[in-house]
Amino acid sequence: MTHIRPVVLMGARDDAHVSQLAQRLGQEGVVAHVVDTLTFPEETHLALTEQLDGIHVNGGPLKTPGAVYLRGYHAHPLAFGVDVRDEMDADWRTTLVAFREKSTLLRGLLGRWEAMGVPIYNPESTSWRMPKPVQLALLEQAGLPVPETLWTNDPSAVRRFAAGRRVAYKPVEGGGATLELGPGDLTDARLAALEAAPVTFQTLLPGEDIRVYVLDGEIIASVRILSHALDFRRNEERVEPFELPPKVARQCLQATRVLGLRWTGMDLKRDAEGTLRFLELNDSPMFLGFDARAGTDILGHLARGLARAARS
Ligand code: ADP
Ligand code: MG
Ligand code: MG
């Protein structure tokens, strides 16, 4: 007899990715429990005992889930959806300590499920590979095409890297704009900004943007983003399904394996010679926007994948 266990979704209850996934899981006959990480600890009550499976949510014991989907912890003042400006202005130190406590408990919770063998999309054990300075180096070491890149706060290293070619620069963490480095960016005054924070410098890739989704070792969607701007995210013009050449498809699956991800949305961009190079693999990619514009069904694939895990 197959045994259907619940699927836990960790994220904000009113994040459309969470709510629509919960609804689709319901259609698959699977119960979805949302652990609302945005309203924790104000609303959601969590209680963990010293036993690995001693996990209580809102007063009741939580059965060991069949699978866990992690959308986000909302455990940092800068996290999307978190608004603690007033709390930070009033007492930044206590606010940061509270976020750190919240983060440590939530990561501990996910770690318990990982220790119990629950499939997690994606697990804590792979998170150390996600920062781009290690991620891209691991891909490069595995023989995968990545752009020449420099993460640095060293002005002279930037000048050497930029000599004689077009260079893009962007935040180390991501989430900010990508811009082309100009002659005005190589002055002493401008490069002094590197004393505040390091920056990513990368060979500028002038070609098309491709987004590929992989779930449980299979490509479930690939799209091309057509835009005239350097950074596609605020400048989307058209998104259309894009069939990957077999070699690139194999590379995408290999990149997913190298980083140990069960599920990912990755960005590739074509260089001047026509090679698609990996910009990044995201461990909790958004997908509803691509489904809406390109007619893909990433939501359905993800729901069926989680349901499959919960049934086995
Ligand atoms: P993020 O984590 O912020 O999404 P990405 O590395 O995916 O970071 O960069 C965001 C976008 O900026 C890319 O999808 C691409 O459109 C553009 N971009 C990033 N790096 C380069 C580059 N080296 N050359 C040209 N465009 C780039
Ligand atoms: Mg990213
Ligand atoms: Mg990206």
Side-chain angles (χ1 to χ4, degrees):
M1 200 185 100
T2 43
H3 184 70
I4 308 183
R5 286 171 296 165
V7 168
V8 165
L9 310 180
M10 287 182 77
R13 186 177 297 282
D14 52 17
D15 176 337
H17 287 86
V18 171
S19 58
Q20 292 196 30
L21 198 50
Q23 200 186 356
R24 273 301 265 276
L25 281 161
Q27 291 166 8
E28 296 289 323
V30 173
V31 174
H33 280 306
V34 177
V35 173
D36 193 331
T37 54
L38 183 60
T39 61
F40 173 71
E42 290 86 2
E43 287 172 26
T44 306
H45 284 162
L46 294 178
L48 308 189
T49 72
E50 78 288 356
Q51 285 164 334
L52 203 53
D53 63 352
I55 299 167
H56 303 255
V57 179
N58 293 328
L62 188 63
K63 270 211 292 192
T64 302
V68 177
Y69 167 75
L70 173 61
R71 177 73 190 102
Y73 290 127
H74 299 286
H76 193 280
L78 295 177
F80 183 77
V82 171
D83 178 11
V84 287
R85 177 185 291 260
D86 293 345
E87 291 86 338
M88 287 290 281
D89 284 347
D91 185 349
W92 61 268
R93 183 184 296 272
T94 302
T95 305
L96 286 183
V97 169
F99 272 106
R100 191 173 61 187
E101 293 295 293
K102 165 177 174 170
S103 163
T104 301
L105 187 133
L106 291 175
R107 286 190 299 118
L109 172 59
L110 209 71
R112 285 181 176 215
W113 283 324
E114 184 167 2
M116 287 187 258
V118 176
I120 300 174
Y121 298 74
N122 277 297
E124 274 292 312
S125 60
T126 195
S127 63
W128 66 269
R129 298 188 196 92
M130 294 315 293
K132 288 175 193 165
V134 59
Q135 175 181 138
L136 287 193
L138 290 170
L139 300 183
E140 198 279 338
Q141 200 189 31
L144 293 163
V146 300
E148 277 184 64
T149 309
L150 183 70
W151 293 273
T152 190
N153 67 333
D154 179 349
S156 54
V158 176
R159 290 196 177 103
R160 282 194 302 274
F161 185 80
R165 59 167 152 187
R166 293 180 73 184
V167 167
Y169 70 99
K170 57 186 174 180
V172 180
E173 169 64 27
T178 301
L179 297 171
E180 178 165 5
L181 197 72
D185 293 312
L186 294 173
T187 60
D188 288 343
R190 178 70 173 139
L191 289 173
L194 293 171
E195 287 166 25
V199 171
T200 311
F201 301 88
Q202 202 163 54
T203 310
L204 189 138
L205 307 177
E208 63 190 349
D209 278 285
I210 305 290
R211 167 56 74 109
V212 180
Y213 288 85
V214 172
L215 175 71
D216 288 325
E218 258 180 69
I219 291 168
I220 58 166
S222 52
V223 301
R224 171 174 25 208
I225 298 128
L226 303 162
S227 165
H228 290 311
L230 187 58
D231 185 335
F232 74 73
R233 286 161 307 175
R234 273 165 293 271
N235 306 284
E236 280 136 272
E237 279 165 15
R238 228 168 75 221
V239 185
E240 59 183 29
F242 173 74
E243 193 171 336
L244 294 174
K247 180 177 161 196
V248 177
R250 281 195 302 276
Q251 289 175 333
C252 291
L253 295 178
Q254 190 191 349
T256 307
R257 278 195 306 274
V258 165
L259 299 182
L261 296 168
R262 276 207 168 80
W263 134 258
T264 182
M266 64 188 86
D267 294 323
L268 297 98
K269 205 169 192 308
R270 221 178 267 289
D271 70 11
E273 285 73 46
T275 301
L276 280 172
R277 294 186 180 272
F278 288 90
L279 290 178
E280 63 160 345
L281 280 72
N282 292 289
D283 61 359
S284 181
M286 298 205 267
F287 51 86
L288 291 174
F290 288 102
D291 278 353
R293 282 195 305 271
T296 49
D297 186 24
I298 302 162
L299 174 67
H301 278 98
L302 186 55
R304 288 190 296 277
L306 292 166
R308 203 185 312 127
R311 280 198 194 94
S312 54

